[in-house]
Amino acid sequence: MDFERQTPVTVQAFHYDLVDEDTAPKSDVRTGIQKLDVSQDDEHSEKNGSYYDVAVFYDVIPAPAEFRVSGTIHQVVQLKDYHGDGSDISSADWQLLSRPLVEYIETLTYEVTQVTFDQPVNLNFKANF
């Protein structure tokens, strides 16, 4: 699937919290897509494909459980020659669309843990969709 990024990646929320040592690890990373209505926008045309808000919602406690990161990251893209609702996008295309957003989560976590623990934690997410 060919797409064009319309906005930079936007970090809507990034939360970092220390957790109790008896907290169980978890990796809840979900993606979402919402078709945007650009019919009133003179600058954008859907002739070559519709516009979508691609989002990653996450709540992660890596092992060993010392901290939790959670939040939401978005990016608006135009999917070339596609006008569907997103439900039929293949797993490979989802990985392509969401990877830049997931990299932000990894980078933010790496940087914050470098400061808080004086040793960075690299999450290295693997897609499960």
Side-chain angles (χ1 to χ4, degrees), residues 5-120:
R5 293 177 175 94
Q6 298 295 309
T7 65
V9 173
T10 302
V11 179
Q12 182 177 351
F14 178 83
H15 304 284
Y16 166 87
D17 299 295
L18 294 177
V19 296
D20 295 329
E21 56 187 62
D22 61 339
T23 304
K26 83 186 232 182
S27 183
D28 181 14
V29 180
R30 296 171 284 116
T31 58
I33 190 166
Q34 179 178 356
K35 189 173 184 177
L36 301 175
D37 180 8
V38 295
S39 62
Q40 303 299 316
D41 188 346
D42 295 333
E43 191 175 321
H44 298 95
S45 167
E46 290 191 350
K47 179 177 77 173
N48 296 325
S50 295
Y51 292 81
Y52 299 86
D53 180 11
V54 177
V56 174
F57 309 92
Y58 57 98
D59 187 5
V60 177
I61 303 172
E66 297 178 273
F67 67 92
R68 160 186 261 147
V69 291
S70 61
T72 307
I73 296 184
H74 294 264
Q75 184 171 48
V76 175
V77 298
Q78 181 183 26
L79 301 182
K80 300 296 184 171
D81 300 319
Y82 180 79
H83 298 280
D85 65 1
S87 62
D88 58 344
I89 294 176
S90 73
S91 177
D93 287 334
W94 262 118
Q95 289 177 11
L96 186 65
L97 288 169
S98 64
R99 186 66 202 158
L101 288 80
V102 170
E103 286 174 357
Y104 264 68
I105 301 166
E106 293 170 341
T107 300
L108 287 166
T109 302
Y110 185 93
E111 294 295 329
V112 168
T113 56
Q114 172 67 40
V115 171
T116 58
F117 296 128
D118 201 27
Q119 182 173 350

